[in-house]
Amino acid sequence: MKRGRNVNTMVAKRVRRIAFGILLVVLTVFLCITVWRVSHKYFLKKFHREERVSKLYDEWNAHNYEEVYRISEAILEKNFLQNAARTFHGYSSFLLAVSENDNAEYQNLLDEAIINLRIALQYAKDDVKPQIEYMLGRTYFYKDVVPVHSDFYKDKESESQHYYSDLAIKYLLASQEDGFEAKDTSEYLGLSYAALGETQKSIEAFAQALKYRESDTLLLSIAEQYCNASQGKTAKQYLKRADNLTKDEDIKLRCKFLLAQICMEEESFEEAEQVFLEIAENQELPGSARADAHYGLGVIYEKQKDLVKARYEWRYALNLNSNHKGSRLKMAEHN
């Protein structure tokens, strides 16, 4: 009987060991399957994420900025801290803004670019940081870009305020200090300094910009700053270079108006009169430009004490542009 009980005990122990082994195998298989599924899902997500970030670079290199904007937005919805997507979203927002015709959408895209670039800057690696600073400086510069006013002799108090020029300068200078120098950085700095009335700094920045390229708009901007600095002779030299270089009729017109302004300040009234007459008699120019020229002629005749001719020119200007502010004020003054 005792031997039978021992046999039964051994069998029971063996069964328990087998059952435990089977359970252990089942648990091990279950654990392996679970780990495989989790890791597979993780690596699929990681691969998909890396694939999408890689897609950003492909679309960026293809200059497909709308697609860059869309993909980066989708990535950020799932991963707020994906800094490459954040950076690309800022870049694409800016580039879409500068090609936007609707002013409200233009400003919204620039605001979106600023928010994303400032966040990206906080987490950027050292080798990327200067480029983000440069793009942020450009974005702030464009926040102040407004349509050109048609009235050449506009009231100085009515000119647009430049609320973001100081921030544009801050980030553009930071990008230079951190070792990034784009070909247009100095030109943006020159325009931003000009907007703040810092004429000498503007001239110095424009001088640096000329080392990279000589353009009609750059030469005209330099002429404007020398005019502001009461250096008419130097301003005329740059105006001549701009006029010779450009094929843009609008730039040529701006050169003529600035030349006439300089001549007026130098009291070279005959030369100024010739420039204004050339503009006023050009029937191919828009009425607003010709109205400005007639207004300028009226100012010359006013200075020469010939109010009859002066009033005639101001009335002519109002016929061309009934809202011409300068002519309205002059007619009221000499009524």
Side-chain angles (χ1 to χ4, degrees), residues 60 63-70 72 88-102 105-110 112-113 135:
W60 176 262
H63 307 291
N64 192 355
Y65 303 126
E66 289 185 0
E67 194 65 12
V68 172
Y69 181 92
R70 186 190 66 79
S72 59
F88 275 117
H89 198 65
Y91 286 179
S92 59
S93 296
F94 166 75
L95 291 168
L96 290 175
V98 297
S99 61
E100 178 60 55
N101 293 322
D102 180 78
E105 184 62 17
Y106 167 83
Q107 291 294 338
N108 288 338
L109 284 167
L110 288 179
E112 191 172 356
M135 288 296 286

Side-chain angles (χ1 to χ4, degrees), residues 189-191 193-194 198-207 221 225:
L189 282 169
L191 292 167
Y193 281 128
E198 298 187 38
T199 302
Q200 190 54 44
K201 288 184 177 181
S202 176
I203 291 172
E204 291 171 1
F206 283 140
S221 296
Q225 292 310 300

Side-chain angles (χ1 to χ4, degrees), residues 11-12 17 24 43 49 69 95 104 121 125 136 172 175 181 185 187 195 214 217 220 245 277-278 297 309 313 334:
V11 169
R17 283 198 296 269
L24 186 62
F43 283 113
R49 184 167 61 248
Y69 181 92
L95 291 168
L121 189 60
K125 296 179 180 179
L136 193 51
L172 288 169
S175 71
E181 182 71 42
T185 297
E187 190 165 352
E214 181 175 291
T217 54
L220 176 57
L245 181 63
L277 283 171
E278 182 182 348
L297 287 168
K309 290 179 69 175
E313 296 297 339
H334 296 286

Side-chain angles (χ1 to χ4, degrees), residues 236-301:
K236 285 181 179 179
Q237 294 172 359
Y238 282 99
L239 277 179
K240 185 176 181 180
R241 289 167 63 182
D243 186 62
N244 290 337
L245 181 63
T246 191
K247 295 181 180 179
D248 188 320
E249 292 301 321
D250 182 61
I251 298 295
K252 285 184 175 293
L253 183 60
R254 290 173 61 190
C255 288
K256 286 184 174 69
F257 271 120
L258 186 56
L259 176 60
Q261 179 184 333
I262 294 169
C263 292
M264 292 280 285
E265 291 172 357
E266 294 175 342
E267 297 188 352
S268 301
F269 297 131
E270 288 186 9
E271 186 178 354
E273 182 182 19
Q274 290 302 313
V275 177
F276 282 135
L277 283 171
E278 182 182 348
I279 299 170
E281 294 171 358
N282 188 343
Q283 299 296 320
E284 295 182 0
L285 292 175
S288 58
R290 292 171 56 216
D292 291 339
H294 281 286
Y295 171 79
L297 287 168
V299 173
I300 291 174
Y301 301 142

Side-chain angles (χ1 to χ4, degrees), residues 53 56-57 72 75-76 81-90 120:
V53 172
L56 276 177
Y57 285 93
S72 59
I75 293 173
L76 290 171
L81 297 177
Q82 221 301 327
N83 215 46
R86 179 73 62 190
T87 303
F88 275 117
H89 198 65

Side-chain angles (χ1 to χ4, degrees), residues 12-290:
K13 287 181 178 180
R14 183 172 295 177
V15 169
R16 286 197 296 271
R17 283 198 296 269
I18 292 172
F20 179 75
I22 293 172
L23 179 62
L24 186 62
V25 170
V26 170
L27 288 174
T28 302
V29 170
F30 176 77
L31 182 62
C32 289
I33 292 173
T34 301
V35 171
W36 180 84
R37 291 181 65 185
V38 171
S39 61
H40 181 67
K41 186 177 180 180
Y42 169 78
F43 283 113
L44 277 178
K45 285 178 68 178
K46 183 177 180 182
F47 175 77
H48 183 61
R49 184 167 61 248
E50 289 178 349
E51 184 180 36
R52 297 190 76 182
V53 172
S54 176
K55 180 71 172 174
L56 276 177
Y57 285 93
D58 293 339
E59 297 295 345
W60 176 262
N61 291 331
H63 307 291
N64 192 355
Y65 303 126
E66 289 185 0
E67 194 65 12
V68 172
Y69 181 92
R70 186 190 66 79
I71 295 173
S72 59
E73 185 176 45
I75 293 173
L76 290 171
E77 285 178 358
K78 295 183 178 180
N79 186 356
F80 182 80
L81 297 177
Q82 221 301 327
N83 215 46
R86 179 73 62 190
T87 303
F88 275 117
H89 198 65
Y91 286 179
S92 59
S93 296
F94 166 75
L95 291 168
L96 290 175
V98 297
S99 61
E100 178 60 55
N101 293 322
D102 180 78
N103 186 59
E105 184 62 17
Y106 167 83
Q107 291 294 338
N108 288 338
L109 284 167
L110 288 179
D111 289 338
E112 191 172 356
I114 288 171
I115 291 169
N116 282 275
L117 289 174
R118 293 193 68 150
I119 294 173
L121 189 60
Q122 300 302 312
Y123 303 99
K125 296 179 180 179
D126 289 342
D127 59 334
V128 180
K129 182 179 175 183
Q131 299 172 37
I132 298 177
E133 290 169 334
Y134 163 72
M135 288 296 286
L136 193 51
R138 288 180 70 192
T139 306
Y140 276 121
F141 172 82
Y142 276 91
K143 281 289 289 180
D144 277 332
V145 172
V146 294
V148 177
H149 199 294
S150 63
D151 187 353
F152 182 77
Y153 285 96
K154 54 181 179 277
D155 231 349
K156 291 298 180 183
E157 294 181 0
S158 70
E159 290 181 355
S160 300
Q161 299 297 315
H162 297 277
Y163 299 109
Y164 298 95
S165 296
D166 56 338
L167 287 169
I169 292 169
K170 172 185 174 181
Y171 286 103
L172 288 169
L173 288 177
S175 71
Q176 284 183 326
E177 291 169 2
D178 289 334
F180 185 81
E181 182 71 42
K183 291 183 178 180
D184 56 4
T185 297
S186 294
E187 190 165 352
Y188 282 123
L189 282 169
L191 292 167
S192 298
Y193 281 128
L196 295 177
E198 298 187 38
T199 302
Q200 190 54 44
K201 288 184 177 181
S202 176
I203 291 172
E204 291 171 1
F206 283 140
Q208 289 295 317
L210 277 177
K211 295 179 180 179
Y212 292 100
R213 71 186 186 101
E214 181 175 291
S215 68
D216 49 5
T217 54
L218 177 56
L219 292 168
L220 176 57
S221 296
I222 296 173
E224 289 172 340
Q225 292 310 300
Y226 275 114
C227 178
N228 292 338
S230 300
Q231 298 183 44
K233 184 177 180 180
T234 305
K236 285 181 179 179
Q237 294 172 359
Y238 282 99
L239 277 179
K240 185 176 181 180
R241 289 167 63 182
D243 186 62
N244 290 337
L245 181 63
T246 191
K247 295 181 180 179
D248 188 320
E249 292 301 321
D250 182 61
I251 298 295
K252 285 184 175 293
L253 183 60
R254 290 173 61 190
C255 288
K256 286 184 174 69
F257 271 120
L258 186 56
L259 176 60
Q261 179 184 333
I262 294 169
C263 292
M264 292 280 285
E265 291 172 357
E266 294 175 342
E267 297 188 352
S268 301
F269 297 131
E270 288 186 9
E271 186 178 354
E273 182 182 19
Q274 290 302 313
V275 177
F276 282 135
L277 283 171
E278 182 182 348
I279 299 170
E281 294 171 358
N282 188 343
Q283 299 296 320
E284 295 182 0
L285 292 175
S288 58
R290 292 171 56 216

